[in-house]
Amino acid sequence: MKSELCNRCGSCVGLSEGKIIFENKEGKYLPKIIGDIDDTLAQRLWTACTGQDFNFPHYRKVFFGETKQFHTYTGPYENIYIGHTNDEEVRRKAASGGILSSILIYLLEKKLIDGAVVLRMSPTIPWLSEPHIATTKEEILEAAQSKYTISSVNEILPEVENFKGNLAYVGLPPQVQSIRKLQEINDPSVHAIKYIFGPFYGNTLYFSSIISFLKSYKIKDYRQIEKLYFRHGEWPGNMRIETKQGQVIELKKFHANYLIPFHVLRNSLYCTDFTNEFTDISGGDAWSPVYEERGKGFSMILSRSKKGQEIIGNMVKDGWLIADPLGEEEAIRMHSHGYDFKKRGSFIRIKFRKLMGKSIPDYGYSQSGFPIKRYIMEMIISGMFLILSTSLARWIVEQFSPSFIGKFFEKARTSWKNSTKKVKQQNLGQ
Ligand SMILES: Cc1cc2nc3c(=O)[nH]c(=O)nc-3n(C[C@H](O)[C@H](O)[C@H](O)COP(=O)(O)OP(=O)(O)OC[C@H]3O[C@@H](n4cnc5c(N)ncnc54)[C@H](O)[C@@H]3O)c2cc1C
């Protein structure tokens, strides 16, 4: 909790019987102990915590022993696809190709589940997200789209434990990892969960990103937010805020990415799971000029378990989904930036942390032997994150119009990506 390794998955809060709460969700969003925790409860919470450890090889063996394919970058998988849902309404409302929402709706309509754990924007505190058990198509759609500020889905575990029926669960990698740890010990809180899905995960942001974004538009009080979207409109979508006064602010997703280096959650820099490796099916954006030019929304899909593969196969057969197979090499190339950031960058950042004498997470595996230039590059990136997260840097950026900064950021990012391509792709995937 105090070591920057807490990933805010919400498990300790959910399982604590009210003895742990999240303090200041608009700030640091850290769990705080407010009651007495006996040894038995402490042991349960410690087991569920993925900030300290999550042994990738061990859990791979436990949950994906039979899976056909494996690569350290992608994790275990049966097949990789590029695709989208055939339901235009779902595709329009979703973040990418509407795969995740469509799967949930399919399972619900086929009566394979009775509900789905999703993350929606809170109806009462509209600037914060909250986990919810959706039991209708409408509720699943209401929770579609990515939320890029901190989410703590596993706070909902008491509701999951009391749910009568079968559930699907959607979460980010650290949240999913915690569910897997609880499944391994047969904890009652996760008995209802029959399927696990999740998005790819680059990083997540503190709520300060929203406060800062509003300040750039001279809006001082975030409580004026009535609606907050991170991927509104046609893929890749826009960050959009509607205020109680009727003001509408919109910025292209790629331009809103300027907020990342100023507000990135430190813990997400130490997470080494990019493609949500412990789900039954995971999905990310199909970042490639071929698809980006077409708009509308395309996803990369990884079916990992036998039951995940069965769902994709049936959905394609029943006309719910378009899913064209994609080779592993091509899939890694399409997300080379993400893999480099998570499967190399995170391990180098963890090494830096260790050198500074700070506690580090134990993932049961590590990656090393990168070119020396990659280490130098990481020093620049980490240095930049450090400088840009200071109050002064944030204040300076707030003095400019986000559309100007966004365009500048996109150009700078593209030229940085091009100039570092060689270093990033050197031996990538080996
Ligand atoms: C924080 C974050 C970072 C991401 N980084 C990348 C990246 O670097 N590269 C990439 O290719 N893709 C990334 N994605 C995934 C991408 O944005 C889409 O979520 C993914 O392509 C699935 O699209 P979809 O249309 O199938 O999902 P949808 O049909 O829109 O469904 C999304 C589902 O995810 C749930 N969800 C949304 N946000 C969260 C959250 N914060 N925590 C838990 N559950 C959530 C929703 O409740 C919904 O059920 C990221 C997503 C998130 C949330």
Side-chain angles (χ1 to χ4, degrees), residues 90-91 93-102 104 117-120 129 140-153 169-172 175 197-205 231 235 253 274 282-287 298-300 335 338:
V90 177
R91 195 174 177 191
K93 289 191 172 164
S96 312
I99 302 295
L100 296 179
S101 297
S102 200
L104 301 179
V117 174
V118 289
L119 187 82
R120 67 178 180 185
S129 60
I140 289 169
L141 280 184
E142 208 183 289
Q145 282 189 26
S146 305
K147 286 92 185 166
Y148 291 125
T149 45
I150 300 174
S151 67
S152 46
V153 174
Y169 168 98
V170 182
L172 296 178
Q175 297 158 357
F197 309 114
F200 289 10
Y201 177 53
N203 54 62
T204 194
L205 305 180
R231 300 281 295 259
W235 187 64
K253 182 216 174 317
F274 175 56
S282 70
D285 288 286
W287 293 139
F298 287 87
S299 292
M300 182 179 289
H335 279 104

Side-chain angles (χ1 to χ4, degrees), residues 391-406:
S391 313
L392 178 65
R394 288 177 180 178
W395 179 84
I396 292 172
V397 81
E398 284 159 17
Q399 309 314 308
F400 296 91
S401 115
S403 65
F404 166 74
I405 290 291

Side-chain angles (χ1 to χ4, degrees), residues 272-318:
T272 68
D273 185 344
F274 175 56
T275 57
N276 225 329
E277 297 175 32
F278 293 88
T279 50
D280 291 302
I281 302 170
S282 70
D285 288 286
W287 293 139
S288 159
V290 185
Y291 301 108
E292 285 166 44
E293 273 162 23
R294 289 196 229 164
K296 288 193 169 175
F298 287 87
S299 292
M300 182 179 289
I301 315 157
L302 279 93
S303 60
R304 300 185 179 281
S305 61
K306 298 278 175 210
K307 60 182 174 185
Q309 181 58 46
E310 206 179 321
I311 294 170
I312 298 289
N314 287 339
M315 285 180 75
V316 170
K317 198 167 64 165
D318 295 347

